[in-house]
Each structure stands twice: as structure tokens, then as C-alpha cells.
Amino acid sequence: MIQLGQILFILSVLVILHEFGHYITARMFKVRVEKFYLFMDAGFALLKKKIGDTEWGIGWLPIGGYVKLSGMVDESMDMEQMKQEPQPWEFRSKPAWQRLIIMLGGIIVNILLAWFIYTVVYTTYGQKYVSTEKLQENGLSFGETGINVGFRNGDKILSVDGVHQPRFNRMVLDALLGDNIEIERNGEKKTLVLTDANKAEILGKEGRDFVGARNLLSQVIIDSVTPVKNKTAVFTAGDILTGVESKSFTYFDELSDELKNHKNKTVQLNIIRNNVPTTIAVAVDKDGKIGFGDTIFFGPSLEMSDSYVNEVSSGSEAEKAGLQKNDVLLGFNNQTFKQFFEFKTELKKQADKDVTLNVLREAKAMALKAHVNKNGKLGFGLQSKKQPSYEINNKLSLGNAFSEAVKESWQLLVYNVKQFKLILRPKTEAYKHVKSPVGIARALPDSWNWEFIWNFTALFSIGLAFMNLLPIPGLDGGHALFTIAEMVTGKTLSEKAMGHVQTAGMIILLTLMALTFGKDIYQLIVDKLL
């Protein structure tokens, strides 16, 4: 429900302001606005009220909105009105330059909205991003997808198409949208070129298992609370990996790579258990893995007193109990635990029972009543205070924030163009990943976070501006294109021809919407059934 609420809020803000751009420019040039609707009112409206010449309303279908201008062939396909003599207050009676401004009014407001939101966000929350330099200081770690497309563990990405990207998440996007990727491997510079098939593989997993920071092996700890799927190995909570056979490694990916050399064999895995080095026999499967799955904890410290709550799941037992971010969790029922996995092991024994959490909040001791769910969990995450931070957070002055907001909006517009070009290349299969509001809502977080919502609204606003710029009949860009052609040639399409063009455009748009909505709804049903 929170995800649904977020997408409805974001769509409402964007649609109302976009249509207001058309409305206010139309009123500037004394064009009569017959309707102003949030969402589509196909068949009926949820709410409507006429004020002056304009009917204001909310439709039942949340796929956009519209303003109906007198004397214009638009989504309403009201051709009867066009048979009458043109009136001074009608859209068609206005000079071409005024009609062009009215058509671009929504797009202009979308861009101005993004500027405004980013300016406010940068001066309040700050301009935040993950630093490429910090994250890949020791090189990068690549999952199976990254290895398959040509990367190797330890590679550093220097630039894409000759441009260095200081933001790590943008660098990954650049790699997908660019052509030539310059990397550093073992001190040498090399160039990788991702094929459309490579990009299809990365997109097919939505970027998962592609690339991330390298993890020190000394900070990889086994969580035996979750069973390890291995034929021979017996791990205990807190086991620390060090190497395989006679080899010791610095990074976890080095150990993973070594295991691939021992497929379908049993190897001696070197570990530290209770501060004592020891060796256990481990079966390696046909894929070169030993079945860790999600049983590995990555972090520099497991000390409860040295960790803090960094996430509380929405609707979880932890949230109901009043656990908050930055709380230091010591234990429960007045029993303290030194190690996090000791806490998890004992908590699992309290499944479907009530406990009292012992918490430090701003150095003040607190006791919170909580119910442990049937899986032995509360619904929170911990992070070590010693965990290295890759995030940059710059709080900007108003002037600098506005300047950066303009740059960010332009960069996002460029990304939209590149992504559209990628969609038009069938071999990348990028078209399969175009999402409707249903798919977008499912990707939103399940907790209400204003910082995220406003950032996402600004990003979505630029996306909406780009989409409406496309020269497709039925979109603002299509109307603008015909108006510009009229300004250049001095000739206009007949009302009959305009009606045919508008009909064709609407068929294209409705078909695309049906396909994207159908795909996302089908996936939602499948996920619910599985």
C-alpha cells in the first residue's frame, strides 16, 4: 500500500503541474479551457466540478491527465466542434507561435519543477552520490554477469567513451549506454566494448550480479543461522575465511575465483574459528561454488556494541516496537550479546514470542516490547560503525544548488535520449524493461522516505518532459512538430487529416500502454503465485 501511495502521489504532482503548464499558457493567450483532469475519465469521473468555463475533475484511470482546449483536435477527438466556425477564444484561432508555447507549456513546467526540487534537495538533504574513486580504490568485484561480458575482478573503470564519471551509479549506467569502456587491469590500460548481447545480459538481470566494491576476505564472516547448502562443510556462526589449500587471499573474489579451479572436487578451506586457524573439507559444485548463498555477512565488525540500526522495514515487528535508525541494539530480555550472530541465533529460538529489546538511543538505555515473527525475525538491518563510507554528501548554497540542479536536469535529459536509442536496438532487449506505473510502483521502497520521493519525482519529471518531446501524434511533441512545420511552410494540415494523424497517434500510444501495463500486471500475478 505504501508503494501504491508513493506512485499515486508522484503521478498526481507530475500530472497536475504538467497540465497546469498547458492551462496557464492557454489562459495567457485567452484560449478557453473546457476540461482539466487529473487521470483519465474514460466513461466516468470520480469527481468533477465546473468553475467558470472549465470542468475540473479526477478520472478513474491513473495513466496521465489532460486539459481540453476549445478548438483543438486532441485526446477527446471532438471533431464536431471543429466543424463550427472558429471562435476568438479557440486554440485554432491563435497565431502559430502562441499555439507552440501552449503545446510546450507542460514540458517547460516539468523542467522547471525538476530544477526547483533539486535546488531544494541539494540545500536541505545535500547532493549525495557514491564516489567512483572511493568505491573502486582496490578495484571492483564482478559477479557472473560482469565476468561473462569481459570484466575481471580487480578491474578499475577509468572512463566510458573518454569521459570519467565521478558517480559510481552513473558510471554503471554510462557503461550500458556507451561504447568504449577504458579499464585498468593489473596496472595496464585496456578497452572493452560491450556488444548488444552483453548489454542484454546485464539488463536481463536488472544490473544484479554485475559490479560492486571488493570485499576484504578478513571481513567476510559466515552466518550459520541460515543453513549453508554444502555436502560436507560444517560452518559455525562467526567463521572467517582465509584461503583454500595452501593459498591465502586478500579479497573474497580471489577466493571465489580459486574455487572455480576446483569444480566437482573437495578442497581444504582455511578458516578462523574462535580466533583459532583451522581447516575444514568443503565440496565444490560443478559451478565452482560451495553454497554460501545469503549466509555470508560482509562487514568489518560483528560486535553488537559497535553496530547501529541502519534500516527498519516498513510494517515490520521492529517498526511496531519503535526501533529506529541509529539505535544501538545490545540484546533482548536483559541478555546482552557480544556478536551479532549470537543475537540472531538466540532470537530465532524466540519465534512467535514476545521479547523486550535492550537498546541504546543517543546513549540512553531503553526497553522496547517486540514480537518476534514466526521466522524468528524482527525486520531490521545493522551496519558496523567501522564500515567504510563511499558516499559523498555536499550541502550546497542556494546559488550553487540551482546551478547543479540545472546541470543534473540536463544530464538526465541526455540519459533519456541515450536510453531511448538503446530501446530502439532490438538485440539489447532493452524494450523488455520499459515499465508502466505498475512496474515502477513495485520498484519503489516499501517505506515512506521524503528525500527519495522528491529525488524520484524530479527524475520522473525530466523523463516525462522527454517523453512528451517525442514527435509522436498525440503527444505534445507531435503537436509542436506540426505547428513548427506550419510556421516554416505557412501551410496547415486539414482538420480531417489532423483527425487521422491524431487517431493514429492515440492507437500507437494506447497499444504501447497496453503492452507495458499487461507485462507488468502479468509479472505481478506470476510473482504472487510463485
Side-chain angles (χ1 to χ4, degrees):
M1 289 301 293
I2 290 179
Q3 290 173 318
L4 176 63
Q6 288 178 100
I7 194 63
L8 287 176
F9 173 80
I10 291 168
L11 285 175
S12 297
V13 170
L14 293 177
V15 170
I16 289 172
L17 291 178
H18 177 89
E19 299 305 333
F20 180 75
H22 294 308
Y23 174 84
I24 194 64
T25 48
R27 299 304 299 139
M28 280 170 52
F29 298 121
K30 296 182 170 50
V31 173
R32 181 176 294 173
V33 180
E34 297 179 4
K35 288 186 176 183
F36 188 120
Y37 264 77
L38 167 64
F39 304 148
M40 308 304 289
D41 61 329
F44 67 95
L46 297 178
L47 293 170
K48 62 180 180 180
K49 182 176 179 60
K50 190 164 186 178
I51 302 174
D53 295 323
T54 306
E55 178 181 298
W56 301 79
I58 301 176
W60 63 272
L61 188 60
I63 58 172
Y66 69 98
V67 291
K68 184 181 185 306
L69 307 179
S70 294
M72 177 183 176
V73 180
D74 58 10
E75 295 90 339
S76 67
M77 299 302 296
D78 184 1
M79 300 305 297
E80 289 301 317
Q81 185 184 67
M82 304 303 290
K83 295 177 183 178
Q84 309 299 322
E85 283 294 318
Q87 300 298 320
W89 62 79
E90 289 186 338
F91 177 80
R92 56 180 167 166
S93 300
K94 302 302 178 181
W97 68 271
Q98 292 185 5
R99 284 183 274 126
L100 180 62
I101 292 174
I102 293 171
M103 284 299 95
L104 296 178
I107 295 171
I108 292 169
V109 168
N110 281 134
I111 294 172
L112 293 176
L113 174 63
W115 290 0
F116 174 75
I117 291 175
Y118 280 129
T119 299
V120 174
V121 167
Y122 292 163
T123 55
T124 53
Y125 298 107
Q127 186 183 43
K128 298 178 182 178
Y129 60 91
V130 175
S131 167
T132 298
E133 292 304 317
K134 287 187 175 184
L135 189 137
Q136 66 172 1
E137 185 177 357
N138 297 314
L140 297 169
S141 176
F142 296 88
E144 185 176 350
T145 305
I147 298 296
N148 288 345
V149 301
F151 290 98
R152 295 294 176 264
N153 289 321
D155 287 352
K156 292 183 179 181
I157 298 179
L158 304 178
S159 65
V160 178
D161 294 339
V163 178
H164 172 71
Q165 176 58 260
R167 302 186 183 194
F168 179 71
N169 59 324
R170 293 282 172 84
M171 184 189 71
V172 175
L173 185 58
D174 286 345
L176 274 174
L177 300 177
D179 295 314
N180 299 310
I181 305 172
E182 185 181 27
I183 64 170
E184 180 184 309
R185 180 178 296 168
N186 299 324
E188 296 183 9
K189 291 184 179 180
K190 296 179 178 291
T191 299
L192 287 181
V193 178
L194 298 188
T195 65
D196 284 355
N198 292 151
K199 295 179 180 183
E201 183 175 355
I202 296 169
L203 287 169
K205 294 187 178 181
E206 297 183 343
R208 295 188 297 270
D209 197 33
F210 177 38
V211 62
R214 295 188 95 181
N215 290 288
L216 291 169
L217 193 56
S218 61
Q219 296 178 2
V220 176
I221 300 110
I222 301 296
D223 170 12
S224 67
V225 174
T226 307
V228 176
K229 298 176 181 178
N230 192 275
K231 296 178 181 178
T232 61
V234 179
F235 292 97
T236 62
D239 284 351
I240 299 175
L241 311 174
T242 59
V244 177
E245 302 289 350
S246 60
K247 297 181 180 179
S248 297
F249 303 103
T250 303
Y251 300 103
F252 178 67
D253 57 68
E254 293 175 326
L255 181 140
S256 299
D257 288 342
E258 176 63 22
L259 290 173
K260 292 174 184 176
N261 298 325
H262 301 275
K263 295 178 181 179
N264 295 316
K265 295 179 181 178
T266 298
V267 299
Q268 297 299 312
L269 187 69
N270 304 319
I271 64 172
I272 295 176
R273 177 175 294 168
N274 298 324
N275 297 320
V276 178
T278 187
T279 301
I280 59 175
V282 177
V284 183
D285 66 18
K286 61 182 178 61
D287 298 316
K289 299 179 180 179
I290 59 177
F292 285 137
D294 58 357
T295 65
I296 299 176
F297 179 89
F298 294 102
S301 174
L302 289 174
E303 303 289 329
M304 291 286 287
S305 60
D306 198 34
S307 302
Y308 63 94
V309 175
N310 69 329
E311 180 183 5
V312 179
S313 299
S314 178
S316 67
E317 299 296 342
E319 184 183 59
K320 294 174 184 176
L323 196 67
Q324 298 179 7
K325 285 186 177 181
N326 300 317
D327 283 351
V328 176
L329 191 57
L330 302 178
F332 62 84
N333 295 344
N334 293 321
Q335 183 181 2
T336 59
F337 299 92
K338 184 178 180 182
Q339 301 285 331
F340 179 50
F341 292 122
E342 294 174 354
F343 172 85
K344 288 180 67 176
T345 301
E346 293 303 314
L347 188 68
K348 200 171 184 70
K349 297 176 183 178
Q350 305 297 319
D352 207 22
K353 296 180 181 179
D354 293 330
V355 298
T356 300
L357 300 177
N358 303 116
V359 173
L360 283 179
R361 182 175 298 166
E362 297 179 353
K364 181 181 178 181
M366 301 184 67
L368 304 176
K369 298 288 185 181
H371 181 77
V372 183
N373 69 22
K374 62 182 180 180
N375 296 317
K377 296 181 179 180
L378 291 168
F380 69 92
L382 285 186
Q383 181 168 325
S384 171
K385 295 176 184 177
K386 296 179 181 178
Q387 185 76 30
S389 175
Y390 305 121
E391 187 178 89
I392 302 294
N393 182 5
N394 296 319
K395 279 198 174 183
L396 305 178
S397 65
L398 184 60
N400 288 336
F402 179 75
S403 174
E404 288 298 313
V406 173
K407 290 178 183 177
E408 178 73 357
S409 299
W410 172 252
Q411 186 62 61
L412 289 175
L413 197 58
V414 171
Y415 275 126
N416 272 280
V417 173
K418 290 182 177 180
Q419 288 169 343
F420 186 71
K421 290 167 65 177
L422 194 69
I423 290 170
L424 296 179
R425 290 157 57 181
K427 290 183 179 180
T428 67
E429 299 185 351
Y431 61 89
K432 293 182 179 180
H433 305 282
V434 177
K435 295 185 183 297
S436 70
V438 174
I440 294 170
R442 296 189 68 200
L444 295 174
D446 56 6
S447 59
W448 197 279
N449 183 310
W450 280 112
E451 181 182 359
F452 175 87
I453 288 171
W454 288 124
N455 273 299
F456 191 84
T457 301
L459 181 147
F460 208 164
S461 190
I462 293 296
L464 186 61
F466 168 75
M467 184 183 73
N468 275 282
L469 271 173
L470 295 176
I472 299 174
L475 294 177
D476 298 343
H479 290 295
L481 180 65
F482 289 120
T483 305
I484 292 171
E486 177 188 340
M487 294 170 70
V488 173
T489 65
K491 298 179 180 180
T492 61
L493 280 179
S494 68
E495 292 170 359
K496 183 177 180 181
M498 182 63 75
H500 291 322
V501 169
Q502 184 73 12
T503 300
M506 291 304 296
I507 290 173
I508 293 171
L509 292 175
L510 289 173
T511 301
L512 291 175
M513 284 194 294
L515 289 173
T516 54
F517 269 90
K519 172 181 67 69
D520 290 339
I521 291 171
Y522 170 78
Q523 190 61 52
L524 175 63
I525 294 171
V526 169
D527 291 346
K528 291 292 184 183
L529 292 176
L530 292 179

